[in-house]
Short mmCIF file of all heavy atoms in Angstrom, two decimals:
data_model
loop_
_atom_site.label_atom_id
_atom_site.label_comp_id
_atom_site.label_asym_id
_atom_site.label_seq_id
_atom_site.Cartn_x
_atom_site.Cartn_y
_atom_site.Cartn_z
N MET V 1 5.31 -79.69 -27.88
CA MET V 1 4.70 -79.11 -26.70
C MET V 1 5.16 -77.66 -26.62
O MET V 1 6.34 -77.37 -26.76
CB MET V 1 5.12 -79.90 -25.46
CG MET V 1 4.64 -79.38 -24.16
SD MET V 1 3.08 -79.97 -23.46
CE MET V 1 3.00 -81.68 -23.84
N LYS V 2 4.24 -76.77 -26.38
CA LYS V 2 4.53 -75.35 -26.28
C LYS V 2 4.58 -74.94 -24.81
O LYS V 2 3.69 -75.30 -24.04
CB LYS V 2 3.47 -74.54 -27.02
CG LYS V 2 3.75 -73.06 -26.99
CD LYS V 2 2.78 -72.32 -27.89
CE LYS V 2 3.15 -70.87 -27.89
NZ LYS V 2 3.49 -70.39 -29.21
N THR V 3 5.60 -74.21 -24.44
CA THR V 3 5.72 -73.68 -23.09
C THR V 3 5.26 -72.23 -23.10
O THR V 3 5.68 -71.45 -23.96
CB THR V 3 7.17 -73.77 -22.59
OG1 THR V 3 7.56 -75.12 -22.59
CG2 THR V 3 7.30 -73.19 -21.19
N ILE V 4 4.39 -71.89 -22.16
CA ILE V 4 3.95 -70.51 -22.02
C ILE V 4 4.21 -70.07 -20.59
O ILE V 4 4.32 -70.90 -19.69
CB ILE V 4 2.46 -70.30 -22.37
CG1 ILE V 4 1.56 -71.11 -21.44
CG2 ILE V 4 2.20 -70.67 -23.83
CD1 ILE V 4 0.09 -70.78 -21.60
N THR V 5 4.32 -68.77 -20.41
CA THR V 5 4.50 -68.21 -19.08
C THR V 5 3.34 -67.27 -18.82
O THR V 5 2.99 -66.46 -19.68
CB THR V 5 5.83 -67.43 -19.00
OG1 THR V 5 6.89 -68.32 -19.33
CG2 THR V 5 6.04 -66.86 -17.61
N ILE V 6 2.72 -67.41 -17.66
CA ILE V 6 1.64 -66.51 -17.27
C ILE V 6 2.00 -65.86 -15.95
O ILE V 6 2.78 -66.40 -15.17
CB ILE V 6 0.27 -67.23 -17.16
CG1 ILE V 6 0.32 -68.33 -16.10
CG2 ILE V 6 -0.14 -67.80 -18.51
CD1 ILE V 6 -1.03 -68.93 -15.78
N GLU V 7 1.43 -64.72 -15.73
CA GLU V 7 1.63 -64.03 -14.46
C GLU V 7 0.31 -63.96 -13.72
O GLU V 7 -0.72 -63.65 -14.31
CB GLU V 7 2.17 -62.62 -14.70
CG GLU V 7 3.58 -62.60 -15.22
CD GLU V 7 4.16 -61.19 -15.32
OE1 GLU V 7 3.64 -60.27 -14.65
OE2 GLU V 7 5.14 -61.03 -16.05
N VAL V 8 0.35 -64.29 -12.46
CA VAL V 8 -0.80 -64.13 -11.56
C VAL V 8 -0.29 -63.37 -10.34
O VAL V 8 0.89 -63.41 -10.02
CB VAL V 8 -1.43 -65.48 -11.14
CG1 VAL V 8 -2.00 -66.21 -12.35
CG2 VAL V 8 -0.45 -66.36 -10.42
N SER V 9 -1.20 -62.70 -9.70
CA SER V 9 -0.78 -61.94 -8.52
C SER V 9 -0.31 -62.89 -7.42
O SER V 9 -0.73 -64.06 -7.37
CB SER V 9 -1.93 -61.07 -8.00
OG SER V 9 -2.92 -61.87 -7.38
N ASP V 10 0.55 -62.41 -6.58
CA ASP V 10 1.00 -63.22 -5.44
C ASP V 10 -0.17 -63.64 -4.58
O ASP V 10 -0.22 -64.77 -4.09
CB ASP V 10 2.01 -62.43 -4.59
CG ASP V 10 3.33 -62.21 -5.31
OD1 ASP V 10 3.64 -62.95 -6.26
OD2 ASP V 10 4.05 -61.26 -4.92
N GLU V 11 -1.14 -62.74 -4.41
CA GLU V 11 -2.32 -63.04 -3.59
C GLU V 11 -3.14 -64.17 -4.21
O GLU V 11 -3.54 -65.11 -3.51
CB GLU V 11 -3.19 -61.79 -3.43
CG GLU V 11 -4.42 -62.01 -2.58
CD GLU V 11 -5.28 -60.77 -2.44
OE1 GLU V 11 -4.89 -59.70 -2.93
OE2 GLU V 11 -6.35 -60.91 -1.83
N ASP V 12 -3.40 -64.10 -5.53
CA ASP V 12 -4.16 -65.16 -6.18
C ASP V 12 -3.43 -66.49 -6.10
O ASP V 12 -4.03 -67.52 -5.80
CB ASP V 12 -4.43 -64.80 -7.64
CG ASP V 12 -5.48 -63.70 -7.80
OD1 ASP V 12 -6.14 -63.33 -6.81
OD2 ASP V 12 -5.64 -63.23 -8.95
N ALA V 13 -2.13 -66.48 -6.36
CA ALA V 13 -1.34 -67.71 -6.30
C ALA V 13 -1.39 -68.31 -4.90
O ALA V 13 -1.57 -69.53 -4.74
CB ALA V 13 0.10 -67.45 -6.71
N ALA V 14 -1.26 -67.48 -3.88
CA ALA V 14 -1.29 -67.96 -2.50
C ALA V 14 -2.66 -68.56 -2.15
O ALA V 14 -2.73 -69.61 -1.50
CB ALA V 14 -0.93 -66.83 -1.54
N LEU V 15 -3.73 -67.91 -2.61
CA LEU V 15 -5.07 -68.44 -2.33
C LEU V 15 -5.28 -69.80 -2.98
O LEU V 15 -5.80 -70.73 -2.35
CB LEU V 15 -6.14 -67.45 -2.82
CG LEU V 15 -6.34 -66.20 -1.98
CD1 LEU V 15 -7.25 -65.22 -2.71
CD2 LEU V 15 -6.92 -66.54 -0.62
N ILE V 16 -4.87 -69.92 -4.24
CA ILE V 16 -5.03 -71.20 -4.93
C ILE V 16 -4.16 -72.27 -4.28
O ILE V 16 -4.62 -73.38 -4.00
CB ILE V 16 -4.68 -71.04 -6.43
CG1 ILE V 16 -5.70 -70.13 -7.11
CG2 ILE V 16 -4.63 -72.41 -7.11
CD1 ILE V 16 -5.29 -69.66 -8.49
N GLU V 17 -2.90 -71.95 -4.03
CA GLU V 17 -1.99 -72.93 -3.43
C GLU V 17 -2.45 -73.36 -2.04
O GLU V 17 -2.26 -74.51 -1.65
CB GLU V 17 -0.57 -72.39 -3.42
CG GLU V 17 0.02 -72.35 -4.83
CD GLU V 17 1.37 -71.67 -4.93
OE1 GLU V 17 1.70 -70.85 -4.04
OE2 GLU V 17 2.08 -71.95 -5.90
N ALA V 18 -3.09 -72.45 -1.31
CA ALA V 18 -3.60 -72.82 0.01
C ALA V 18 -4.73 -73.84 -0.09
O ALA V 18 -4.93 -74.64 0.82
CB ALA V 18 -4.08 -71.57 0.75
N GLU V 19 -5.48 -73.82 -1.19
CA GLU V 19 -6.60 -74.75 -1.37
C GLU V 19 -6.19 -76.05 -2.04
O GLU V 19 -6.96 -77.01 -2.02
CB GLU V 19 -7.71 -74.08 -2.19
CG GLU V 19 -8.44 -72.99 -1.44
CD GLU V 19 -9.12 -73.50 -0.17
OE1 GLU V 19 -9.76 -74.57 -0.20
OE2 GLU V 19 -9.01 -72.83 0.87
N LEU V 20 -5.02 -76.10 -2.64
CA LEU V 20 -4.61 -77.31 -3.36
C LEU V 20 -4.64 -78.58 -2.50
O LEU V 20 -5.06 -79.62 -3.00
CB LEU V 20 -3.25 -77.12 -4.01
CG LEU V 20 -3.26 -76.26 -5.28
CD1 LEU V 20 -1.84 -76.03 -5.76
CD2 LEU V 20 -4.12 -76.85 -6.37
N PRO V 21 -4.24 -78.54 -1.23
CA PRO V 21 -4.35 -79.78 -0.44
C PRO V 21 -5.78 -80.31 -0.38
O PRO V 21 -6.00 -81.52 -0.48
CB PRO V 21 -3.84 -79.38 0.94
CG PRO V 21 -2.90 -78.24 0.67
CD PRO V 21 -3.55 -77.49 -0.48
N ASP V 22 -6.77 -79.43 -0.26
CA ASP V 22 -8.17 -79.86 -0.23
C ASP V 22 -8.62 -80.34 -1.60
O ASP V 22 -9.32 -81.35 -1.72
CB ASP V 22 -9.08 -78.73 0.25
CG ASP V 22 -8.93 -78.47 1.74
OD1 ASP V 22 -8.54 -79.40 2.47
OD2 ASP V 22 -9.19 -77.33 2.16
N ILE V 23 -8.21 -79.63 -2.65
CA ILE V 23 -8.56 -80.02 -4.01
C ILE V 23 -8.00 -81.39 -4.33
O ILE V 23 -8.63 -82.19 -5.01
CB ILE V 23 -8.05 -78.96 -5.01
CG1 ILE V 23 -8.83 -77.64 -4.85
CG2 ILE V 23 -8.14 -79.46 -6.46
CD1 ILE V 23 -8.24 -76.48 -5.63
N ASN V 24 -6.81 -81.68 -3.84
CA ASN V 24 -6.11 -82.92 -4.16
C ASN V 24 -6.50 -84.11 -3.28
O ASN V 24 -5.93 -85.19 -3.41
CB ASN V 24 -4.59 -82.71 -4.07
CG ASN V 24 -4.06 -81.96 -5.27
OD1 ASN V 24 -4.45 -82.21 -6.40
ND2 ASN V 24 -3.17 -81.01 -5.02
N ARG V 25 -7.47 -83.95 -2.37
CA ARG V 25 -7.84 -85.03 -1.46
C ARG V 25 -8.39 -86.25 -2.16
O ARG V 25 -8.11 -87.37 -1.79
CB ARG V 25 -8.85 -84.55 -0.43
CG ARG V 25 -8.23 -84.01 0.81
CD ARG V 25 -9.25 -83.77 1.84
NE ARG V 25 -10.08 -82.65 1.38
CZ ARG V 25 -11.15 -82.22 1.98
NH1 ARG V 25 -11.57 -82.80 3.06
NH2 ARG V 25 -11.83 -81.21 1.52
N GLY V 26 -9.22 -86.05 -3.18
CA GLY V 26 -9.84 -87.18 -3.86
C GLY V 26 -8.86 -87.93 -4.75
O GLY V 26 -7.91 -87.37 -5.25
N GLU V 27 -9.11 -89.22 -4.92
CA GLU V 27 -8.25 -90.03 -5.76
C GLU V 27 -8.81 -90.20 -7.16
O GLU V 27 -8.07 -90.54 -8.09
CB GLU V 27 -8.03 -91.40 -5.12
CG GLU V 27 -7.21 -91.31 -3.84
CD GLU V 27 -6.94 -92.68 -3.25
OE1 GLU V 27 -7.02 -93.69 -3.97
OE2 GLU V 27 -6.65 -92.73 -2.05
N ALA V 28 -10.10 -89.99 -7.34
CA ALA V 28 -10.73 -90.15 -8.66
C ALA V 28 -10.67 -88.81 -9.38
O ALA V 28 -11.53 -87.96 -9.22
CB ALA V 28 -12.17 -90.62 -8.50
N ASN V 29 -9.61 -88.62 -10.15
CA ASN V 29 -9.46 -87.37 -10.88
C ASN V 29 -8.80 -87.64 -12.23
O ASN V 29 -8.33 -88.74 -12.49
CB ASN V 29 -8.67 -86.34 -10.07
CG ASN V 29 -7.31 -86.85 -9.67
OD1 ASN V 29 -6.49 -87.20 -10.52
ND2 ASN V 29 -7.06 -86.93 -8.37
N SER V 30 -8.78 -86.64 -13.08
CA SER V 30 -8.30 -86.84 -14.45
C SER V 30 -6.84 -86.49 -14.67
O SER V 30 -6.24 -86.92 -15.65
CB SER V 30 -9.15 -86.02 -15.42
OG SER V 30 -9.06 -84.64 -15.10
N HIS V 31 -6.24 -85.69 -13.78
CA HIS V 31 -4.89 -85.18 -14.03
C HIS V 31 -3.90 -85.45 -12.91
O HIS V 31 -2.81 -84.91 -12.90
CB HIS V 31 -4.95 -83.68 -14.31
CG HIS V 31 -5.54 -83.34 -15.63
ND1 HIS V 31 -6.88 -83.47 -15.90
CD2 HIS V 31 -4.97 -82.88 -16.77
CE1 HIS V 31 -7.11 -83.10 -17.14
NE2 HIS V 31 -5.98 -82.75 -17.70
N GLY V 32 -4.28 -86.28 -11.95
CA GLY V 32 -3.38 -86.53 -10.83
C GLY V 32 -3.32 -85.32 -9.90
O GLY V 32 -4.05 -84.35 -10.08
N PRO V 33 -2.47 -85.36 -8.91
CA PRO V 33 -2.37 -84.23 -7.98
C PRO V 33 -2.03 -82.94 -8.72
O PRO V 33 -1.15 -82.91 -9.58
CB PRO V 33 -1.22 -84.64 -7.05
CG PRO V 33 -1.16 -86.13 -7.15
CD PRO V 33 -1.56 -86.46 -8.55
N LEU V 34 -2.78 -81.89 -8.40
CA LEU V 34 -2.59 -80.61 -9.07
C LEU V 34 -1.63 -79.72 -8.30
O LEU V 34 -1.65 -79.66 -7.08
CB LEU V 34 -3.92 -79.87 -9.21
CG LEU V 34 -4.96 -80.49 -10.13
CD1 LEU V 34 -6.25 -79.68 -10.07
CD2 LEU V 34 -4.44 -80.59 -11.56
N ASP V 35 -0.80 -79.02 -9.07
CA ASP V 35 -0.08 -77.86 -8.58
C ASP V 35 -0.54 -76.70 -9.47
O ASP V 35 -1.40 -76.89 -10.35
CB ASP V 35 1.44 -78.07 -8.60
CG ASP V 35 1.99 -78.42 -9.97
OD1 ASP V 35 1.34 -78.13 -11.00
OD2 ASP V 35 3.09 -78.98 -10.04
N LEU V 36 -0.03 -75.52 -9.26
CA LEU V 36 -0.50 -74.36 -10.00
C LEU V 36 -0.28 -74.54 -11.50
O LEU V 36 -1.15 -74.22 -12.31
CB LEU V 36 0.20 -73.10 -9.48
CG LEU V 36 -0.41 -71.76 -9.85
CD1 LEU V 36 -1.88 -71.69 -9.47
CD2 LEU V 36 0.35 -70.64 -9.18
N GLN V 37 0.85 -75.10 -11.90
CA GLN V 37 1.16 -75.29 -13.31
C GLN V 37 0.21 -76.32 -13.94
O GLN V 37 -0.32 -76.10 -15.03
CB GLN V 37 2.60 -75.75 -13.48
CG GLN V 37 3.01 -75.91 -14.93
CD GLN V 37 4.49 -76.25 -15.06
OE1 GLN V 37 5.24 -76.17 -14.12
NE2 GLN V 37 4.87 -76.65 -16.25
N LYS V 38 -0.02 -77.45 -13.26
CA LYS V 38 -0.92 -78.46 -13.80
C LYS V 38 -2.36 -77.96 -13.85
O LYS V 38 -3.11 -78.30 -14.77
CB LYS V 38 -0.82 -79.74 -12.99
CG LYS V 38 0.46 -80.53 -13.27
CD LYS V 38 0.59 -81.74 -12.39
CE LYS V 38 -0.30 -82.84 -12.86
NZ LYS V 38 -0.09 -84.11 -12.11
N LEU V 39 -2.75 -77.14 -12.88
CA LEU V 39 -4.08 -76.57 -12.88
C LEU V 39 -4.27 -75.66 -14.09
O LEU V 39 -5.28 -75.77 -14.80
CB LEU V 39 -4.32 -75.78 -11.58
CG LEU V 39 -5.63 -75.00 -11.48
CD1 LEU V 39 -6.83 -75.94 -11.57
CD2 LEU V 39 -5.65 -74.21 -10.19
N ALA V 40 -3.31 -74.80 -14.37
CA ALA V 40 -3.41 -73.90 -15.52
C ALA V 40 -3.45 -74.71 -16.82
O ALA V 40 -4.26 -74.42 -17.72
CB ALA V 40 -2.24 -72.93 -15.53
N ALA V 41 -2.62 -75.75 -16.93
CA ALA V 41 -2.61 -76.58 -18.14
C ALA V 41 -3.96 -77.28 -18.33
O ALA V 41 -4.47 -77.37 -19.46
CB ALA V 41 -1.48 -77.59 -18.07
N MET V 42 -4.55 -77.76 -17.24
CA MET V 42 -5.83 -78.44 -17.32
C MET V 42 -6.92 -77.48 -17.82
O MET V 42 -7.74 -77.84 -18.67
CB MET V 42 -6.23 -79.00 -15.95
CG MET V 42 -7.55 -79.74 -15.95
SD MET V 42 -8.00 -80.39 -14.32
CE MET V 42 -8.28 -78.88 -13.41
N LEU V 43 -6.91 -76.25 -17.32
CA LEU V 43 -7.92 -75.28 -17.75
C LEU V 43 -7.73 -74.89 -19.21
O LEU V 43 -8.72 -74.72 -19.94
CB LEU V 43 -7.87 -74.06 -16.84
CG LEU V 43 -8.27 -74.34 -15.39
CD1 LEU V 43 -8.03 -73.11 -14.52
CD2 LEU V 43 -9.72 -74.79 -15.30
N ILE V 44 -6.49 -74.79 -19.66
CA ILE V 44 -6.23 -74.50 -21.07
C ILE V 44 -6.70 -75.67 -21.93
O ILE V 44 -7.27 -75.47 -23.01
CB ILE V 44 -4.74 -74.16 -21.29
CG1 ILE V 44 -4.45 -72.78 -20.69
CG2 ILE V 44 -4.38 -74.20 -22.78
CD1 ILE V 44 -2.99 -72.42 -20.63
N GLU V 45 -6.51 -76.90 -21.47
CA GLU V 45 -7.03 -78.06 -22.19
C GLU V 45 -8.55 -77.97 -22.33
O GLU V 45 -9.11 -78.32 -23.38
CB GLU V 45 -6.69 -79.35 -21.45
CG GLU V 45 -5.28 -79.81 -21.58
CD GLU V 45 -5.04 -81.09 -20.78
OE1 GLU V 45 -6.01 -81.79 -20.39
OE2 GLU V 45 -3.86 -81.39 -20.52
N ASP V 46 -9.22 -77.51 -21.30
CA ASP V 46 -10.68 -77.40 -21.35
C ASP V 46 -11.11 -76.33 -22.35
O ASP V 46 -12.15 -76.48 -23.01
CB ASP V 46 -11.26 -77.12 -19.97
CG ASP V 46 -11.24 -78.35 -19.08
OD1 ASP V 46 -10.87 -79.45 -19.56
OD2 ASP V 46 -11.57 -78.22 -17.89
N VAL V 47 -10.36 -75.25 -22.50
CA VAL V 47 -10.66 -74.26 -23.53
C VAL V 47 -10.52 -74.92 -24.90
O VAL V 47 -11.35 -74.71 -25.80
CB VAL V 47 -9.75 -73.02 -23.41
CG1 VAL V 47 -9.92 -72.10 -24.60
CG2 VAL V 47 -10.05 -72.26 -22.12
N THR V 48 -9.48 -75.73 -25.07
CA THR V 48 -9.30 -76.45 -26.33
C THR V 48 -10.48 -77.37 -26.59
O THR V 48 -10.97 -77.46 -27.73
CB THR V 48 -7.99 -77.26 -26.30
OG1 THR V 48 -6.91 -76.37 -26.03
CG2 THR V 48 -7.73 -77.97 -27.61
N LEU V 49 -10.96 -78.05 -25.57
CA LEU V 49 -12.12 -78.93 -25.74
C LEU V 49 -13.38 -78.15 -26.10
O LEU V 49 -14.25 -78.66 -26.81
CB LEU V 49 -12.36 -79.76 -24.48
CG LEU V 49 -11.34 -80.88 -24.25
CD1 LEU V 49 -11.52 -81.48 -22.86
CD2 LEU V 49 -11.47 -81.95 -25.32
N ALA V 50 -13.49 -76.92 -25.64
CA ALA V 50 -14.64 -76.08 -26.00
C ALA V 50 -14.65 -75.82 -27.51
O ALA V 50 -15.71 -75.65 -28.10
CB ALA V 50 -14.59 -74.76 -25.23
N ILE V 51 -13.48 -75.82 -28.12
CA ILE V 51 -13.36 -75.62 -29.56
C ILE V 51 -13.46 -76.96 -30.29
O ILE V 51 -14.22 -77.12 -31.25
CB ILE V 51 -12.03 -74.92 -29.89
CG1 ILE V 51 -11.97 -73.55 -29.22
CG2 ILE V 51 -11.82 -74.82 -31.41
CD1 ILE V 51 -10.59 -72.93 -29.17
N ARG V 52 -12.69 -77.94 -29.84
CA ARG V 52 -12.59 -79.23 -30.53
C ARG V 52 -13.83 -80.10 -30.31
O ARG V 52 -14.29 -80.76 -31.24
CB ARG V 52 -11.35 -79.98 -30.03
CG ARG V 52 -11.12 -81.30 -30.75
CD ARG V 52 -9.91 -82.06 -30.25
NE ARG V 52 -8.70 -81.27 -30.44
CZ ARG V 52 -7.71 -81.19 -29.55
NH1 ARG V 52 -7.78 -81.83 -28.40
NH2 ARG V 52 -6.64 -80.46 -29.80
N ARG V 53 -14.32 -80.15 -29.07
CA ARG V 53 -15.46 -81.01 -28.72
C ARG V 53 -16.45 -80.21 -27.89
O ARG V 53 -16.58 -80.41 -26.68
CB ARG V 53 -14.98 -82.22 -27.93
CG ARG V 53 -14.16 -83.20 -28.75
CD ARG V 53 -13.70 -84.45 -27.98
NE ARG V 53 -14.51 -84.81 -26.85
CZ ARG V 53 -14.01 -85.17 -25.65
NH1 ARG V 53 -12.72 -85.18 -25.43
NH2 ARG V 53 -14.80 -85.52 -24.69
N PRO V 54 -17.16 -79.25 -28.51
CA PRO V 54 -18.02 -78.35 -27.73
C PRO V 54 -19.14 -79.06 -26.97
O PRO V 54 -19.64 -78.54 -25.99
CB PRO V 54 -18.59 -77.40 -28.78
CG PRO V 54 -18.37 -78.06 -30.09
CD PRO V 54 -17.19 -78.97 -29.93
N GLY V 55 -19.50 -80.29 -27.40
CA GLY V 55 -20.56 -81.02 -26.70
C GLY V 55 -20.07 -81.78 -25.48
O GLY V 55 -20.88 -82.27 -24.69
N SER V 56 -18.75 -81.89 -25.29
CA SER V 56 -18.22 -82.57 -24.11
C SER V 56 -18.55 -81.75 -22.87
O SER V 56 -18.73 -80.53 -22.95
CB SER V 56 -16.70 -82.75 -24.23
OG SER V 56 -16.04 -81.50 -24.18
N TRP V 57 -18.62 -82.39 -21.72
CA TRP V 57 -18.96 -81.62 -20.52
C TRP V 57 -17.88 -80.60 -20.21
O TRP V 57 -18.17 -79.49 -19.78
CB TRP V 57 -19.28 -82.53 -19.33
CG TRP V 57 -18.13 -83.31 -18.78
CD1 TRP V 57 -17.78 -84.59 -19.11
CD2 TRP V 57 -17.17 -82.88 -17.82
NE1 TRP V 57 -16.66 -84.96 -18.40
CE2 TRP V 57 -16.26 -83.94 -17.60
CE3 TRP V 57 -16.98 -81.70 -17.10
CZ2 TRP V 57 -15.19 -83.84 -16.72
CZ3 TRP V 57 -15.93 -81.61 -16.21
CH2 TRP V 57 -15.05 -82.67 -16.04
N GLU V 58 -16.60 -80.95 -20.45
CA GLU V 58 -15.52 -79.98 -20.19
C GLU V 58 -15.65 -78.78 -21.12
O GLU V 58 -15.56 -77.63 -20.71
CB GLU V 58 -14.14 -80.61 -20.39
CG GLU V 58 -13.85 -81.83 -19.56
CD GLU V 58 -14.11 -83.12 -20.33
OE1 GLU V 58 -15.03 -83.17 -21.18
OE2 GLU V 58 -13.41 -84.11 -20.05
N GLY V 59 -15.85 -79.08 -22.42
CA GLY V 59 -15.97 -78.00 -23.40
C GLY V 59 -17.18 -77.13 -23.17
O GLY V 59 -17.11 -75.90 -23.24
N ALA V 60 -18.33 -77.77 -22.89
CA ALA V 60 -19.56 -77.01 -22.66
C ALA V 60 -19.43 -76.14 -21.42
O ALA V 60 -19.85 -74.97 -21.41
CB ALA V 60 -20.75 -77.96 -22.54
N ASN V 61 -18.86 -76.70 -20.36
CA ASN V 61 -18.70 -75.91 -19.14
C ASN V 61 -17.72 -74.75 -19.35
O ASN V 61 -17.94 -73.65 -18.86
CB ASN V 61 -18.24 -76.80 -17.99
CG ASN V 61 -19.34 -77.71 -17.50
OD1 ASN V 61 -20.52 -77.42 -17.64
ND2 ASN V 61 -18.96 -78.84 -16.93
N MET V 62 -16.62 -74.99 -20.06
CA MET V 62 -15.66 -73.91 -20.30
C MET V 62 -16.27 -72.86 -21.22
O MET V 62 -16.02 -71.67 -21.04
CB MET V 62 -14.36 -74.46 -20.88
CG MET V 62 -13.27 -73.42 -20.99
SD MET V 62 -12.93 -72.48 -19.45
CE MET V 62 -12.05 -73.70 -18.49
N SER V 63 -17.09 -73.28 -22.19
CA SER V 63 -17.79 -72.30 -23.03
C SER V 63 -18.67 -71.40 -22.18
O SER V 63 -18.74 -70.19 -22.41
CB SER V 63 -18.65 -73.01 -24.09
OG SER V 63 -17.83 -73.65 -25.03
N GLN V 64 -19.32 -71.98 -21.17
CA GLN V 64 -20.16 -71.19 -20.27
C GLN V 64 -19.31 -70.21 -19.45
O GLN V 64 -19.70 -69.06 -19.26
CB GLN V 64 -20.97 -72.10 -19.34
CG GLN V 64 -21.87 -71.35 -18.38
CD GLN V 64 -22.91 -70.52 -19.08
OE1 GLN V 64 -23.56 -70.98 -20.01
NE2 GLN V 64 -23.07 -69.28 -18.67
N VAL V 65 -18.16 -70.66 -18.98
CA VAL V 65 -17.26 -69.77 -18.22
C VAL V 65 -16.83 -68.60 -19.12
O VAL V 65 -16.87 -67.43 -18.72
CB VAL V 65 -16.02 -70.54 -17.69
CG1 VAL V 65 -14.97 -69.59 -17.16
CG2 VAL V 65 -16.45 -71.54 -16.63
N LEU V 66 -16.41 -68.93 -20.35
CA LEU V 66 -15.97 -67.87 -21.27
C LEU V 66 -17.12 -66.91 -21.56
O LEU V 66 -16.92 -65.69 -21.57
CB LEU V 66 -15.43 -68.48 -22.56
CG LEU V 66 -14.11 -69.23 -22.42
CD1 LEU V 66 -13.81 -70.02 -23.69
CD2 LEU V 66 -12.97 -68.27 -22.11
N ALA V 67 -18.32 -67.44 -21.79
CA ALA V 67 -19.49 -66.59 -22.07
C ALA V 67 -19.80 -65.68 -20.87
O ALA V 67 -20.18 -64.52 -21.04
CB ALA V 67 -20.70 -67.45 -22.43
N SER V 68 -19.62 -66.20 -19.67
CA SER V 68 -19.86 -65.40 -18.47
C SER V 68 -18.92 -64.22 -18.37
O SER V 68 -19.24 -63.21 -17.74
CB SER V 68 -19.72 -66.27 -17.21
OG SER V 68 -20.70 -67.29 -17.20
N HIS V 69 -17.76 -64.35 -19.00
CA HIS V 69 -16.79 -63.25 -19.04
C HIS V 69 -16.96 -62.38 -20.29
O HIS V 69 -16.18 -61.45 -20.51
CB HIS V 69 -15.35 -63.80 -18.99
CG HIS V 69 -14.96 -64.30 -17.64
ND1 HIS V 69 -14.56 -63.46 -16.62
CD2 HIS V 69 -14.92 -65.55 -17.12
CE1 HIS V 69 -14.27 -64.19 -15.54
NE2 HIS V 69 -14.50 -65.45 -15.82
N GLY V 70 -17.96 -62.70 -21.11
CA GLY V 70 -18.23 -61.90 -22.30
C GLY V 70 -17.53 -62.37 -23.56
O GLY V 70 -17.49 -61.65 -24.56
N TYR V 71 -17.00 -63.61 -23.55
CA TYR V 71 -16.31 -64.16 -24.72
C TYR V 71 -17.15 -65.26 -25.35
O TYR V 71 -17.68 -66.10 -24.65
CB TYR V 71 -14.94 -64.74 -24.33
CG TYR V 71 -14.03 -63.71 -23.70
CD1 TYR V 71 -13.89 -63.65 -22.33
CD2 TYR V 71 -13.35 -62.79 -24.48
CE1 TYR V 71 -13.07 -62.70 -21.73
CE2 TYR V 71 -12.53 -61.83 -23.90
CZ TYR V 71 -12.39 -61.80 -22.53
OH TYR V 71 -11.59 -60.86 -21.93
N GLU V 72 -17.26 -65.23 -26.67
CA GLU V 72 -18.02 -66.25 -27.40
C GLU V 72 -17.08 -66.98 -28.33
O GLU V 72 -16.25 -66.38 -29.00
CB GLU V 72 -19.14 -65.60 -28.21
CG GLU V 72 -20.20 -64.91 -27.36
CD GLU V 72 -21.01 -65.85 -26.48
OE1 GLU V 72 -21.21 -67.02 -26.88
OE2 GLU V 72 -21.42 -65.42 -25.40
N LEU V 73 -17.21 -68.31 -28.37
CA LEU V 73 -16.42 -69.11 -29.32
C LEU V 73 -17.14 -69.19 -30.64
O LEU V 73 -18.31 -69.24 -30.72
CB LEU V 73 -16.19 -70.52 -28.76
CG LEU V 73 -15.30 -70.59 -27.54
CD1 LEU V 73 -15.24 -72.03 -27.02
CD2 LEU V 73 -13.89 -70.13 -27.88
#
């Protein structure tokens, strides 16, 4: 397992953390209750799926997000 460190602005972190209680309301989810670290790991997994399994809904959706930012896999 590789550990990485990312930096986000205090404002972005606060906005995301403020929404986590609402995001975590549902019980039918794939990664359990999210915190900022688990959210980032989940999104990185989806980038991996865009490469490994581009036809999966996670991979296809992440490919679209990356393309919207001007990145092509």
Side-chain angles (χ1 to χ4, degrees):
M1 176 92 38
K2 182 172 183 119
T3 299
I4 62 171
T5 302
I6 61 171
E7 291 186 19
V8 296
S9 72
D10 292 339
E11 181 181 355
D12 287 350
L15 285 170
I16 294 167
E17 288 173 338
E19 290 300 316
L20 284 175
D22 288 334
I23 291 170
N24 284 318
R25 270 190 292 174
E27 292 183 21
N29 57 59
S30 60
H31 288 72
L34 293 176
D35 56 21
L36 196 53
Q37 182 175 349
K38 285 176 77 174
L39 174 61
M42 181 181 67
L43 294 173
I44 289 170
E45 284 179 17
D46 286 355
V47 171
T48 303
L49 287 170
I51 299 165
R52 183 181 300 139
R53 291 181 26 225
S56 67
W57 68 266
E58 303 96 328
N61 288 334
M62 187 52 74
S63 291
Q64 181 61 46
V65 169
L66 291 169
S68 297
H69 286 280
Y71 301 99
E72 296 295 329
L73 293 175

